[in-house]
Amino acid sequence: MVSQHDYLRSTPRERAWSWRLICLCLALLVTSVGGAVFFLNQERFALREIVITGNRLIPTTDLVSAVKKTLSRDHWLLRTDRFWFYSPLTVARELSNNFDRLMAVAVSASTFNTLRVQVVERQPTAIWCRETCFYLDETGTVFASAPDFSHAPVPVITGEWSPRPVNATTTPVQAVGLGTQPIPRSDFGRLRSLVSKLNQFLATTVLAGQTIWRIDVSTVGDYEFYSEPREPDQSGFKIISTRRQTETEIISLLHSTLTVATFKNELAIGRALTSLDLRFPGKIFYRFD
């Protein structure tokens, strides 16, 4: 290494040569970087096709527009719609942030000019209603507003659970909205399973043709399951239980009632069942109109 003292002792010709060498290195560096940027920004590497798969309700045009918007954010000399400079992870994150209905997004570049986006939409498993109605996905998270159905395609839940953010621990929020869970996830999973088991059980009994379509949750800890008849000449009824009762206990109590000859005779003569109350240990109260 040439010290400052040696540099001062060098001749003007030697100093001139050193400056030329430095300038040459800088010129080569700038030329190399500029050439690389020019090459990588060429149209041959431009994104020309965005392929969307997996969407059912979200329009493809909306997803494509969102991807193009993300890729239009150029950074100085770099074109972010070029194969080398866009990040699939960034595209996936932006789509997830912009579309609440999306559960999962996978982005990959199959060629220099083609970007493939595979999405999984949240599927409604229930509807939560209080002042307004919302779709809930399989985790019990609100992801979209729901209309007021006369015959809902999924069970409708109403009641008094306090909504909370998905990642919250103890602090409740004041209103149900996108991204909240009106029902604690564990309770929601148990409730979904219970409704499924009830419908499977009813289909094998004298009440075949009835389907649980609404669940009301009371402040004192009771569930009220309302049935919807398939036949126009039938009437619906409700099953009342506590949150503490297990699926096995509820199904067992129903089975012990629906197989009793007296109960079956009441149905046979055309009396309309209105309620089955399972809340009291060792006892079942039912009512006919």
Side-chain angles (χ1 to χ4, degrees):
M1 179 181 293
V2 178
S3 66
Q4 183 179 5
H5 180 70
D6 293 334
Y7 178 78
L8 294 175
R9 292 177 56 188
S10 61
T11 64
R13 184 175 180 179
E14 290 174 335
R15 290 196 293 271
W17 171 249
S18 297
W19 277 112
R20 289 193 190 99
L21 183 60
I22 293 171
C23 291
L24 178 61
C25 291
L26 289 175
L28 288 174
L29 178 62
V30 171
T31 301
S32 299
V33 172
V37 170
F38 174 77
F39 174 76
L40 296 176
N41 276 330
Q42 290 188 70
E43 283 298 317
R44 74 177 75 175
F45 304 121
L47 182 64
R48 295 190 177 90
E49 184 180 16
I50 299 172
V51 180
I52 308 290
T53 58
N55 58 313
R56 297 176 56 194
L57 298 177
I58 303 175
T60 298
T61 52
D62 291 355
L63 292 170
V64 170
S65 296
V67 172
K68 289 182 177 179
K69 182 178 179 180
T70 301
L71 297 180
S72 66
R73 303 168 185 170
D74 293 342
H75 300 288
W76 196 37
L77 297 176
L78 305 181
R79 296 288 303 276
T80 51
D81 64 343
R82 273 22 179 196
F83 174 80
W84 316 100
F85 302 131
Y86 60 76
S87 167
L89 292 178
T90 299
V91 174
R93 184 178 64 251
E94 290 294 319
L95 287 177
S96 297
N97 291 339
N98 291 331
F99 297 92
D100 295 300
R101 189 177 285 273
L102 292 181
M103 176 176 287
V105 182
V107 180
S108 61
S110 56
T111 67
F112 286 143
N113 311 118
T114 303
L115 188 70
R116 296 190 178 277
V117 180
Q118 184 174 8
V119 302
V120 177
E121 294 182 352
R122 299 180 188 273
Q123 299 300 315
T125 60
I127 295 174
W128 168 263
C129 290
R130 190 173 283 174
E131 290 83 6
T132 56
C133 296
F134 298 91
Y135 286 117
L136 304 181
D137 67 9
E138 63 184 15
T139 67
T141 302
V142 172
F143 67 90
S145 297
D148 186 10
F149 288 101
S150 56
H151 297 282
V154 291
V156 177
I157 305 173
T158 61
E160 297 299 330
W161 269 307
S162 297
R164 63 192 66 239
V166 174
N167 298 321
T169 54
T170 59
T171 305
V173 296
Q174 297 302 313
V176 177
L178 297 178
T180 63
Q181 287 180 333
I183 306 170
R185 185 167 180 172
S186 58
D187 290 339
F188 181 71
R190 178 178 177 274
L191 193 57
R192 283 186 62 206
S193 176
L194 181 52
V195 170
S196 176
K197 294 290 179 61
L198 281 174
N199 283 330
Q200 292 175 18
F201 171 74
L202 292 176
T204 65
T205 69
V206 292
L207 297 176
Q210 300 273 1
T211 303
I212 302 300
W213 73 278
R214 181 166 68 88
I215 308 99
D216 184 68
V217 183
S218 71
T219 55
V220 296
D222 295 337
Y223 290 141
E224 294 185 0
F225 301 91
Y226 290 85
S227 75
E228 180 179 52
R230 296 180 184 175
E231 301 298 331
D233 59 339
Q234 292 180 314
S235 60
F237 59 89
K238 67 179 177 180
I239 300 171
I240 309 172
S241 71
T242 68
R243 297 190 202 182
R244 297 184 302 274
Q245 290 174 292
T246 65
E247 292 179 1
T248 301
E249 183 180 357
I250 291 172
I251 298 298
S252 177
L253 288 170
L254 287 173
H255 181 268
S256 64
T257 301
L258 302 186
T259 55
V260 172
T262 304
F263 184 89
K264 297 169 69 173
N265 290 336
E266 294 281 358
L267 290 176
I269 63 176
R271 296 194 64 187
L273 176 67
T274 59
S275 66
L276 286 158
D277 194 338
L278 316 177
R279 293 174 295 175
F280 305 97
K283 299 179 180 179
I284 302 174
F285 295 92
Y286 59 84
R287 179 179 176 181
F288 286 93
D289 275 348

